[in-house]
């Protein structure tokens, strides 16, 4: 026994240390709304219907929000179309570089945007971080759309090199303060604003774009997107410190990395999930998340050539009492009417946006955007004519007397 006891104590000490270093994904940050509170809040809302919104004149988040390309007249026009089909909310991306460059100006533009939304009976929410698509954002003039290429200039926020350094604990104190200030300063400014529906901290952490790597380690078997988990978790700590009057969510289904998903599922007041699948798979996903006893919003859907259509999926979401927020609204610079496969050439090789821009394969200002026969995302053309009159009529019929 005398010989065994020290060894046993050593083993117990080891497991005690491991317990003290429990992974962050097992923790719930203090401040989460309980089920009763969030369900009471949700019951007061109309059936939430909207889109991921940026004006057709903007190719990415920076283009939408920086002063030189801010376009309130176009936004007002398009939100009139949104209200006319029954939309009452919008999912809207911010960008940390615009905040850092012009914090007061960004807040003024956000306030103007909220005023326009309020005019049309729409309550939007804002998204802070995003791992999707191109890794090196820059302020100033944004690139022209590559012809017939899905989303040729959507940007990471923060830049991927900063996100990776943050993940490895190598971000500078100034960079950490930048990211924290972006979240907390913005929330503090608008935390009591009733025009804002809620907040979303992180879109699809770990996703990448398949062209420039992703936010994770690669193995022979899988890609693990959990390199983002430190920023995912810290964003919850920062947000709960502010404790806004609006609920908070962060994307789960649609993200990459089991820890990213766990952190967000454990901490979200209500669930933000993505589905670009046909109705039966959509129902299965919704049912899984509804088991948590919290409201669910499908914050990305609509991929017509994959069975995620307005006719097939919008009635399902209404029947199951989940929010319906499709990707895209007006066909424009993002060119998301083209599907994900448009990023490859007919031989299946990835197209290079840098090379094609250098070769001049872009849509010039004033030139009509090319259209595929079957649109992937989006509902309207630039002039306000619908891609499908039947789709618009279904939106209108399902949102009539919305309550």
């Amino acid at each position: 026994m005398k010989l065994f006891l020290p060894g046993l104590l050593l083993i117990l000490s080891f497991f005690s240390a491991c317990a003290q270093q429990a992974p962050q994904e097992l923790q719930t940050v203090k401040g989460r709304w309980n089920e009763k509170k969030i369900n009471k809040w949700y019951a007061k809302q109309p059936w939430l219907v909207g889109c991921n919104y940026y004006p057709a004149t903007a190719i990415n988040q920076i283009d939408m929000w920086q002063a030189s390309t801010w376009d309130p007249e176009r936004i007002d026009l398009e939100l009139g179309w949104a209200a006319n089909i029954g939309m009452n909310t919008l999912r809207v991306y911010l960008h940390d570089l615009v905040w850092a460059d012009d914090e007061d100006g960004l807040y003024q533009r956000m306030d103007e945007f909220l005023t326009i939304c309020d005019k049309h009976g729409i309550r939007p929410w804002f998204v802070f971080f995003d791992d999707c698509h191109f890794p090196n954002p820059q302020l100033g003039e944004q690139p022209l759309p590559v012809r017939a290429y899905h989303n040729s200039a959507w940007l990471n926020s923060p830049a991927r090199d900063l996100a990776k350094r943050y993940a490895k604990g190598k971000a500078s104190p100034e960079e950490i303060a930048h990211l924290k200030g972006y979240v907390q300063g913005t929330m503090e400014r608008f935390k009591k604003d009733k025009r804002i529906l809620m907040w979303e901290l992180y879109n699809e952490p770990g996703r990448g774009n398949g062209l420039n790597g992703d936010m994770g380690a690669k193995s022979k078997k899988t890609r693990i997107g959990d390199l983002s988990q430190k920023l995912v978790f810290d964003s919850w700590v920062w947000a709960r410190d502010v404790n806004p009057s609006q609920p908070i969510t962060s994307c789960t289904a649609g993200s990459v990395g089991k820890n990213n998903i766990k952190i967000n599922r454990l901490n979200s007041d209500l669930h933000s999930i993505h589905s670009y699948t046909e109705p039966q798979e959509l129902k299965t996903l919704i049912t899984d998340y509804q088991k948590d006893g919290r409201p669910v919003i499908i914050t990305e859907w609509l991929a017509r050539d994959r069975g995620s259509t307005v006719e097939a999926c919008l009635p399902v979401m209404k029947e199951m009492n989940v929010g319906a927020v499709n990707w895209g609204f007006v066909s424009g610079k993002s060119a998301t009417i083209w599907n994900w496969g448009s990023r490859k050439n007919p031989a299946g090789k990835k197209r290079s946006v840098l090379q094609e821009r250098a070769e001049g394969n872009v849509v010039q200002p004033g030139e009509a955007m090319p259209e595929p026969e079957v649109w992937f995302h989006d509902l309207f053309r630039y002039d306000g004519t619908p891609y499908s009159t039947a789709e618009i009529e279904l939106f209108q019929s399902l949102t009539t007397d919305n309550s």
Side-chain angles (χ1 to χ4, degrees):
M1 179 62 72
K2 289 182 180 179
L3 292 174
F4 176 71
L5 186 58
L8 178 61
L9 291 174
L10 182 62
I11 292 171
L12 291 175
S13 175
F14 171 78
F15 281 108
S16 175
C18 289
Q20 292 172 6
Q21 298 173 11
Q24 290 178 325
E25 69 271 14
L26 300 181
Q27 302 178 29
T28 301
V29 178
K30 185 178 179 181
R32 189 189 196 193
W33 290 20
N34 61 38
E35 290 179 28
K36 181 178 180 181
K37 181 177 180 180
I38 189 59
N39 282 303
K40 183 178 180 180
W41 175 89
Y42 191 68
K44 293 179 179 178
Q45 311 307 318
W47 178 44
L48 295 171
V49 181
C51 64
N52 286 261
Y53 181 73
Y54 41 88
T57 52
I59 199 168
N60 56 35
Q61 313 95 304
I62 288 177
D63 226 14
M64 177 174 179
W65 288 111
Q66 66 183 351
S68 60
T69 45
W70 173 239
D71 196 352
E73 292 79 14
R74 181 71 198 184
I75 291 170
D76 186 30
L77 175 67
E78 293 183 358
L79 296 198
W81 301 340
N84 184 57
I85 68 170
M87 288 187 172
N88 52 32
T89 191
L90 303 169
R91 184 176 186 242
V92 184
Y93 289 76
L94 304 174
H95 202 284
D96 63 291
L97 291 188
V98 179
W99 176 84
D101 179 66
D102 184 16
E103 181 179 353
D104 290 341
L106 173 62
Y107 294 161
Q108 290 171 10
R109 292 185 286 279
M110 288 174 68
D111 190 68
E112 185 176 7
F113 178 76
L114 289 168
T115 298
I116 297 169
C117 287
D118 191 51
K119 168 185 172 182
H120 294 290
I122 293 171
R123 294 178 69 205
W125 79 92
F126 298 104
V127 184
F128 288 102
F129 297 124
D130 190 1
D131 278 349
C132 285
H133 298 296
F134 294 94
N136 302 310
Q138 293 182 333
L139 295 171
E141 185 177 358
Q142 299 301 300
L144 294 173
V146 173
R147 188 176 298 277
Y149 186 104
H150 177 99
N151 229 350
S152 64
W154 196 257
L155 298 169
N156 285 187
S157 178
R160 194 165 298 162
D161 62 343
L162 172 54
K164 287 186 175 180
R165 282 186 285 107
Y166 191 93
K168 297 173 183 178
K170 296 182 178 180
S172 69
E174 293 77 15
E175 289 170 330
I176 296 170
H178 158 83
L179 297 176
K180 182 178 181 180
Y182 167 52
V183 174
Q184 291 194 328
T186 305
M187 277 192 166
E188 283 285 356
R189 173 65 174 76
F190 295 100
K191 70 177 183 179
K192 295 182 180 180
D193 197 320
K194 294 181 180 180
R195 297 172 298 177
I196 294 177
L197 182 70
M198 61 183 186
W199 300 95
E200 186 161 1
L201 299 179
Y202 217 128
N203 177 65
E204 296 193 355
R207 172 61 59 181
N209 68 354
L211 299 177
N212 299 283
D214 63 11
M215 281 300 298
K218 294 181 182 179
S219 71
K220 292 181 179 179
K221 294 183 178 181
T222 188
R223 289 182 176 184
I224 307 169
D226 285 326
L227 199 61
S228 298
Q229 71 181 60
K230 178 173 170 54
L231 182 55
V232 170
F233 182 80
D234 286 351
S235 68
W236 278 109
V237 175
W238 300 336
R240 293 301 186 194
D241 281 348
V242 175
N243 188 29
S245 63
Q246 309 94 342
I248 309 170
T249 189
S250 199
C251 177
T252 47
S255 302
V256 174
K258 63 180 182 179
N259 291 349
N260 291 332
I261 294 170
K262 285 181 181 179
I263 294 167
N264 286 339
R265 191 162 184 171
L266 277 172
N267 285 286
S268 288
D269 296 324
L270 68 165
H271 292 306
S272 166
I273 61 176
H274 299 171
S275 174
Y276 289 107
T277 58
E278 52 81 30
Q280 191 54 53
E281 288 186 43
L282 174 64
K283 289 180 182 179
T284 300
L285 180 66
I286 291 169
T287 300
D288 176 54
Y289 274 85
Q290 286 183 330
K291 290 176 182 176
D292 289 359
R294 294 175 176 275
V296 173
I297 302 180
I298 304 297
T299 52
E300 289 187 26
W301 68 280
L302 187 57
R304 292 180 181 90
D305 63 8
R306 291 172 167 247
S308 179
T309 65
V310 173
E311 294 88 348
C313 294
L314 193 62
V316 168
M317 289 180 275
K318 181 165 188 178
E319 178 186 354
M320 299 185 77
N321 191 30
V322 302
V325 180
N326 63 272
W327 188 274
F329 187 55
V330 180
S331 172
K333 287 185 175 181
S334 70
T336 54
I337 58 176
W338 295 87
N339 65 20
W340 296 321
S342 66
R343 297 171 181 166
K344 295 182 179 180
N345 64 24
K349 185 177 180 180
K350 293 175 183 177
R351 297 169 61 187
S352 168
V353 294
L354 295 179
Q355 179 179 342
E356 293 196 29
R357 283 196 176 103
E359 294 172 351
N361 188 30
V362 295
V363 180
Q364 295 292 339
E367 182 183 356
M369 296 293 295
E371 291 187 14
E373 183 177 351
V374 176
W375 283 21
F376 194 59
H377 302 322
D378 301 306
L379 299 172
F380 288 97
R381 294 182 176 86
Y382 190 86
D383 63 2
T385 58
Y387 165 69
S388 165
T389 301
E391 289 181 352
I392 298 308
E393 290 175 348
L394 184 58
F395 268 97
Q396 291 171 328
S397 67
L398 292 178
T399 55
T400 299
D401 300 323
N402 193 0
S403 61

